[in-house]
Amino acid sequence: MSSVIASTRISVLDRSRTREGHDAPRALRDTVDLAREAEALGFHRFWVSEHHGVPGVAGSAPTVLAAAVAAATSTIRVGTGGVMLPNHRPLVVAEQFGVLASLFPGRIDMGLGRSVGFTDGVRRALGHGKEDAEDFPGRLAELLGWIDGTQRAHPRVHAHPAEGLRIPAYVLAVGEGASVAAASGLPLVIGDLRGREKVLRAIEVYRRGFRPSARAERPEVIVAGTVAVAGTEEEARRLLVPEAWAMAYSRTHGEFPSLAPAERVESLTMTAKERTLYERGLDGHIHGTEDQVTGQLERAIEETGADEVLVTTSTYDREGLVDSLRRLARIARPQGRFGERVPQGDLGVRQPPDPTGRTRKAGPARSGSSGR
């Protein structure tokens, strides 16, 4: 058993990707089913994402989907990876998470990002442009103020039921977002693992600039990326094929498609540009047999100093995806049996927060997970 992996939290993010022959409602139900499986396997948290107007992604309302996931599970932490703050009023986001944290105390995470709409048309429909992303630090500060009860921009206005609740916040970052997380004293979520040098630079910026806060006393890094585990290296690689083709297609046709079966993708006649992008999309991911993934994952954790790995694998083959998660759980917890429900202490899970969900008065509130 790898002591490096055993001391690192392992979590799951599902993007609710649609698949050929399966509609968007099915994708959302698949996400809820996957969350149940992740909980049974002992993963630390399960997050969902936000995408608007993207044909290949069904997850457009992350707080709504998070509620469904939390209702279908009982112990795993549930959250968003993330709510894109430029698309929303901070007060409304605070209220939504207040409702979630009230219904599922001690289990809700608030992952926040700075991205705006996928296309100009989507951005116009949302009523927000690229310039709104520039005010992410201000929107983030306002949101935290609504929850902490410290905002003063709107006197006598309160975010009920969020105010006073203990809702851990995380910043999803690429590039300069790391500085925002550091200045705000919040945990950093960054990916993907393929762009290792860029990720390492951002993590260094984050750790160097981190300012301890009431929410986090020390830097905390969650690295996100694709991890595919199978009986053979080739089987693991084929799990990567549908998403690699979807990305290549989107960059050559301007439309993000539903995931296609690996065998159909491999039979396609691709243009030279499509082939280049497709092959590039297959490179660099953590994948292979359990022994191979153990080595790759160890290196990634050691290089980044990550406190947690957030697995973001998307594929057409849902059975293959579940099998991959089961094998990954076996890597992290080899003494356990597939599918058994494990106690909170396994897979490096930290002490759970106050079950009341309220901020403790004795001492500063911490983020949802403490450091190693």
Side-chain angles (χ1 to χ4, degrees), residues 118-129:
F118 182 60
T119 64
D120 288 340
V122 170
R123 289 190 287 272
R124 286 194 296 270
L126 290 170
H128 298 283

Side-chain angles (χ1 to χ4, degrees), residues 44-313:
H44 180 51
R45 67 179 101 239
F46 189 93
W47 280 6
V48 296
S49 61
E50 174 181 338
H51 297 273
H52 298 281
V54 181
V57 184
S60 57
T63 54
V64 177
L65 185 53
V69 168
T73 56
S74 58
T75 59
I76 195 169
R77 297 196 63 84
V78 176
T80 55
V83 166
M84 296 301 132
L85 203 48
N87 294 335
H88 311 281
R89 295 298 304 173
L91 171 61
V92 175
V93 175
E95 291 171 334
Q96 290 173 345
F97 277 96
V99 170
L100 283 170
S102 298
L103 293 173
F104 309 101
R107 294 179 58 207
I108 299 301
D109 299 324
M110 184 171 62
L112 306 162
R114 66 188 295 272
S115 296
V116 290
F118 182 60
T119 64
D120 288 340
V122 170
R123 289 190 287 272
R124 286 194 296 270
L126 290 170
H128 298 283
K130 293 182 178 179
E131 67 279 1
D132 290 300
E134 302 306 315
D135 191 35
F136 179 63
R139 288 173 178 262
L140 176 62
E142 181 183 341
L143 170 59
L144 298 179
W146 285 117
I147 295 172
D148 297 339
T150 58
Q151 75 82 26
R152 298 291 179 264
H154 306 278
R156 297 183 298 278
V157 180
H158 299 271
H160 300 303
E163 187 174 305
L165 291 180
R166 186 170 181 266
I167 308 173
Y170 301 78
V171 173
L172 280 66
V174 176
E176 66 184 71
S179 299
V180 176
S184 303
L186 294 176
L188 172 72
V189 184
I190 189 164
D192 68 25
L193 286 167
R194 291 191 302 164
R196 196 69 56 86
E197 290 187 7
K198 182 179 180 181
V199 167
L200 291 176
R201 287 196 299 270
I203 290 174
E204 174 59 27
V205 167
Y206 168 69
R207 290 198 173 109
R208 188 171 60 245
F210 183 82
R211 300 176 185 174
S213 71
R215 290 176 174 271
E217 296 173 357
R218 57 173 289 278
E220 182 177 348
V221 175
I222 302 174
V223 294
T226 295
V227 179
V229 198
T232 68
E233 184 176 3
E234 179 58 26
E235 288 172 346
R237 182 183 179 279
R238 295 188 85 242
L239 290 175
L240 308 176
V241 164
E243 183 74 3
W245 170 243
M247 294 300 296
Y249 188 91
S250 70
R251 290 170 182 169
T252 51
H253 297 264
E255 180 180 337
F256 204 64
S258 296
L259 297 176
E263 56 270 19
R264 191 175 81 75
V265 174
E266 291 171 336
S267 69
L268 292 173
T269 300
M270 303 181 190
T271 65
K273 184 176 182 180
E274 287 173 341
R275 175 65 63 180
T276 298
L277 291 170
Y278 167 67
E279 295 290 349
R280 189 179 300 163
L282 291 171
D283 290 340
H285 299 292
I286 293 177
H287 75 286
T289 64
E290 290 172 38
D291 285 343
Q292 289 172 321
V293 167
T294 296
Q296 295 170 39
L297 198 53
E298 280 182 338
R299 285 193 295 275
I301 294 168
E302 289 172 346
E303 289 177 4
T304 61
D307 298 280
E308 183 171 340
V309 174
L310 183 64
V311 177
T312 62
T313 311

Side-chain angles (χ1 to χ4, degrees), residues 294-348:
T294 296
Q296 295 170 39
L297 198 53
E298 280 182 338
R299 285 193 295 275
I301 294 168
E302 289 172 346
E303 289 177 4
T304 61
D307 298 280
E308 183 171 340
V309 174
L310 183 64
V311 177
T312 62
T313 311
S314 296
T315 189
Y316 178 89
D317 181 1
R318 296 298 284 193
E319 290 184 4
L321 177 59
V322 170
D323 180 65
S324 177
L325 290 181
R326 289 175 178 169
R327 291 174 183 272
L328 180 58
R330 187 159 64 182
I331 290 170
R333 185 178 50 87
Q335 72 277 14
R337 292 180 288 108
F338 282 177
E340 73 175 356
R341 192 170 297 278
V342 296
Q344 282 288 95
D346 280 5
L347 281 182

Side-chain angles (χ1 to χ4, degrees), residues 343-354:
Q344 282 288 95
D346 280 5
L347 281 182
V349 176
R350 273 44 172 185
Q351 189 69 24
D354 179 3

